[in-house]
Structure formats: C-alpha cells, structure tokens
Amino acid sequence: MNLSGTVPIIRFTSLAVIAALSFLSPVNAQVQLPSGSNQPQPIDPNDPNNLRPTAQNNSLLSLEGGKRLMTDASNAVSSQNYDVAAKKLQEARLVFNQLSNFYQDLNSSFSGIDTRVADAQRKKALETAQMRDEATYQLALVHRAQNKPELAVPLLIQIVKSQNPTRDLGKKAYQQLLELGFVDAPFPRGGSASSPPSSSPSSSPAPSPSPSSGKK
C-alpha cells in the first residue's frame, strides 16, 4: 500500500473540516444566547431610585407626577393622616429635585451654544427648584404636626438657604424656626406668625431658588 499519497489527503481533509467548524462556531454561539437577555427589566414604581425621565403626563418623574403627589399629600393632611402625607411629600421633593438637577445639567450643556435653549432649561430648573422648596416646606409643617421638630428644623434651614431669607418662602421657613425655638432673633422684625399645616401646598410666587440645593 502506498501511504505517501494517503497522508496528505488525510491532512487536507482534516484542515477542511476544521475550517468548516470555525465558520460554524459563531452561529453556534448566537444560538446559545439566553432568550430575552436584551429585554429591559421591569421597573418597580415603589422604588424612588428607579425614577425615569419622560415627557408623558402619567410619568412619576414629571411636573404632573410631582403635582399629583402634592395633591395626595394635601388630601392626607386634610384627613390628618400625617404619615401618608410625609411619604407623599418626600416623594414629591425627590421628583422636583431630580427634575431641577436634570434641567440645570441641560442648561450647562447648552450654555455658549444656544442661548435660547439654555435660558429655557434654566427657567425650568428654577421652576422645579421652587416646587421642591414648596414640598420641603409642607413636609416640615407635617413634621411639626407630628411633634418631630428634629426632622422639621433641617428642612427649614435648607429652605432659608435655597430661597434667601428676604423671599416669602424663606421668611416663612425662618418664622417656623423661630416658633420652634431654634432661633431667637425675629426676621423681619415684627414678622407675623405662620399657620399650622394647610390642606393645600403653599403658593408663594417663584423667586430665584438655588436649583442645586436640597439634594437628599
């Protein structure tokens, strides 16, 4: 038997088989991928860390979503269900704060590129920061109604810092600190006393609050 001619044929055949398998291996790898591996995971609506920005009116991370939380909190205050009111106001505060930070980031991104877009985002950042401070003030009032001044004081100080003591909401926050005995110097002198928690959020005119404050 002539083996010298057989060995090259076997080697050639083996190389051909290996080459064919190398072409098939990528297809094989794709088939083995678990089905649905690229599908988005469901979002837990009760987890505030899972908030997602969207323009839909039924989204939690939107002006409408924050306002709905404020309305729910007002209804809870009317029923003297302060635990629920505090939870709703905490959520509203988070929503408005995140929105303000997002708009501020957009303002920074367009600064020096498109003044019209940058100004529009700055306006939204200030608007949502104002709403955040309103929610924070209402939350502080709820904590007062719960006899938890240790929770109300830090919130009131944040408002004074964000709003400025000369603004309406800043004055009311400082007055609350005075009534709690945390400060003893009235401002402005002869300032009027504030009211207990109301059934609706405070509606002070929007000044120029700091968009980046109140990150909690």
Side-chain angles (χ1 to χ4, degrees):
M1 178 179 294
N2 187 1
L3 297 178
S4 60
T6 306
V7 173
I9 295 175
I10 294 175
R11 289 178 178 174
F12 177 79
T13 305
S14 300
L15 290 174
V17 171
I18 293 172
L21 290 175
S22 66
F23 284 113
L24 290 175
S25 58
V27 178
N28 218 18
Q30 292 178 5
V31 172
Q32 292 174 356
L33 285 175
S35 61
S37 61
N38 293 327
Q39 296 298 319
Q41 297 299 316
I43 296 175
D44 181 4
N46 296 319
D47 185 355
N49 295 321
N50 283 335
L51 297 179
R52 296 293 185 269
T54 176
Q56 296 179 356
N57 290 337
N58 60 355
S59 167
L60 181 59
L61 188 55
S62 64
L63 283 174
E64 291 75 14
K67 290 176 181 178
R68 284 198 302 272
L69 290 170
M70 294 288 283
T71 299
D72 292 343
S74 293
N75 294 335
V77 168
S78 297
S79 303
Q80 296 186 348
N81 192 343
Y82 295 131
D83 289 337
V84 172
K87 180 177 182 295
K88 296 294 183 180
L89 289 168
Q90 286 277 19
E91 293 174 357
R93 185 167 174 256
L94 175 62
V95 168
F96 292 135
N97 191 61
Q98 288 190 1
L99 286 172
S100 181
N101 291 334
F102 288 146
Y103 287 130
Q104 189 178 16
D105 289 342
L106 289 172
N107 166 256
S108 299
S109 297
F110 281 95
S111 180
I113 298 176
D114 190 318
T115 303
R116 179 182 57 85
V117 175
D119 288 347
Q121 304 312 313
R122 180 180 180 276
K123 182 179 179 181
K124 288 185 176 181
L126 291 173
E127 178 186 358
T128 47
Q130 172 69 21
M131 298 178 78
R132 175 203 65 212
D133 290 349
E134 295 284 355
T136 303
Y137 180 73
Q138 293 298 321
L139 179 59
L141 294 183
V142 168
H143 285 324
R144 279 204 65 182
Q146 293 175 309
N147 294 318
K148 296 179 180 179
E150 71 280 1
L151 299 180
V153 167
L155 299 176
L156 295 168
I157 293 175
Q158 286 181 13
I159 296 170
V160 174
K161 180 180 178 181
S162 173
Q163 291 279 318
N164 190 305
T166 61
R167 305 286 186 179
D168 184 52
L169 191 57
K171 290 177 183 177
K172 293 199 295 184
Y174 188 82
Q175 178 64 29
Q176 290 287 328
L177 291 171
L178 186 67
E179 292 180 6
L180 288 168
F182 188 78
V183 295
D184 55 12
F187 179 84
R189 295 184 180 182
S192 58
S194 55
S195 58
S198 59
S199 59
S200 59
S202 175
S203 57
S204 308
S208 298
S210 171
S212 59
S213 64
K215 291 184 179 179
K216 295 292 182 183

